Amino acid sequence: MKKLLTALVVLSVVAGGIYWVVQAATDKLDSILPDLQQCTAVAGEYEARFDPEQMGNAAVITALGLKRGLPARAATIAIATAIQESKLYNISHGDRDSLGLFQQRPSMGWGTEEQVQDPVYATNKFYDALVKIEGYEDMVVTEAAQEVQRSAYPEAYADHEGEGRAIASAISGYSPAALTCRIDEPEAGSGKPQATKTEVNQLLGQMVGRARVDGTTVVIPVDAGETGQRNGWAVAHYVLARASEFGATAIAYDGRTWSAGRDEEWAETPEVSGEQILVTLA
């Protein structure tokens, strides 16, 4: 009996030690996670969490679909495909000569190595192929993506449909403040107001007024009404997804303000106008 009790005590000590080691590791992880840079898109039951580089690439994919007048379903398919192919990173390697967001192969006629590693070019080539597929809007993601990609693992595309829907819906502007980002505050002087203005005008200029630069702020006029508000949120979300690239410190629109280096949520600021988007850069 004495030996049994001794063994139980030892086991209890060991188990307790393991518990505290695990608990300490969990507490340490919890203390680190809030500092990670990440963006979250939410649309109904769907949610997608990616780092700023990934979400920035997803935003370009969505914006090009909007520019071409394609339905949000097209962006959902394209984003789900890019998640599976490259995890939304513009990578310079892959199976055989596959490159870029969609792992397009120069040897298969998708373009030069330089071209398929340009997110705008690569996305447009994907859409060029997608729109040739009759009835793609009604296809499941697996079928539509496979018609374009001819993958050896076509079923995998379906795993990312929910994430694709969340991002496509948020960056299309259907829900205010549906995209949030937690990013570090950029260094002073690192902002790119001219590049921000040019990119917004080129990709989304048809949805809002022409962006202009006022010092370190990019001012983007927005039309009134329900359509104008949706377009405004599409552009505000796009700029937020690209905030790390642009060096944005704050984005203000339609009674909400997002700030870098703080909690990722949009803060309610009733005094902020719905007639323009103000993007403040470092």
Side-chain angles (χ1 to χ4, degrees):
M1 177 64 72
K2 184 176 181 180
K3 290 182 179 180
L4 177 60
L5 290 174
T6 301
L8 289 173
V9 170
V10 170
L11 286 173
S12 297
V13 171
V14 171
I18 292 173
Y19 169 80
W20 288 113
V21 169
V22 171
Q23 187 63 41
T26 302
D27 292 343
K28 180 65 175 178
L29 184 61
D30 288 340
S31 70
I32 294 172
L33 284 176
D35 295 330
L36 293 179
Q37 298 190 85
Q38 69 172 9
C39 294
T40 304
V42 178
E45 63 183 291
Y46 301 106
E47 181 177 282
R49 290 179 181 270
F50 291 100
D51 69 32
E53 180 181 350
Q54 293 168 299
M55 193 63 78
N57 286 327
V60 170
I61 293 171
T62 306
L64 286 168
L66 293 171
K67 182 178 182 179
R68 294 173 64 128
L70 299 179
R73 182 64 176 169
T76 296
I77 295 167
I79 293 168
T81 301
I83 293 173
Q84 174 58 31
E85 296 290 354
S86 67
K87 299 190 184 302
L88 285 172
Y89 289 114
N90 188 28
I91 55 180
S92 58
H93 57 83
D95 180 44
R96 288 170 284 189
D97 60 334
S98 300
L99 298 167
L101 287 174
F102 296 94
Q103 288 291 277
Q104 294 157 332
R105 296 180 60 193
S107 64
M108 299 300 290
W110 285 98
T112 66
E113 291 185 4
E114 181 179 4
Q115 286 174 327
V116 299
Q117 291 179 89
D118 174 357
V120 173
Y121 175 92
T123 300
N124 275 322
K125 290 294 286 186
F126 181 90
Y127 284 140
D128 287 345
L130 181 65
V131 298
K132 293 176 183 177
I133 302 169
E134 186 175 354
Y136 77 86
E137 302 99 320
D138 300 318
M139 289 181 176
V140 297
V141 165
T142 295
E143 294 176 357
Q146 177 63 1
E147 284 290 321
V148 177
Q149 298 293 105
R150 302 296 179 184
S151 171
Y153 306 99
E155 296 81 8
Y157 297 122
D159 295 341
H160 308 293
E161 179 171 1
E163 293 166 302
R165 283 191 180 188
I167 296 170
S169 178
I171 300 181
S172 293
Y174 284 97
S175 299
L179 177 71
T180 58
C181 289
R182 182 195 300 125
I183 67 172
D184 295 337
E185 189 167 355
E187 294 182 6
S190 65
K192 304 173 183 176
Q194 291 295 336
T196 304
K197 178 198 76 171
T198 299
E199 191 167 313
V200 168
N201 286 339
Q202 287 180 344
L203 294 186
L204 296 167
Q206 79 282 5
M207 301 180 71
V208 290
R210 300 293 291 178
R212 61 181 175 83
V213 174
D214 183 5
T216 58
T217 300
V218 175
V219 182
I220 308 168
V222 178
D223 292 336
E226 183 177 344
T227 300
Q229 183 188 48
R230 184 173 70 245
N231 291 345
W233 275 109
V235 175
H237 286 155
Y238 178 85
V239 174
L240 175 55
R242 302 276 289 158
S244 290
E245 173 65 24
F246 295 148
T249 60
I251 303 167
Y253 173 62
D254 193 29
R256 304 284 185 94
T257 300
W258 169 88
S259 301
R262 300 184 184 179
D263 291 340
E264 58 197 275
E265 301 297 328
W266 290 80
E268 292 190 11
T269 45
E271 70 278 8
V272 169
S273 172
E275 298 179 355
Q276 60 184 11
I277 303 165
L278 298 178
V279 184
T280 304
L281 299 120

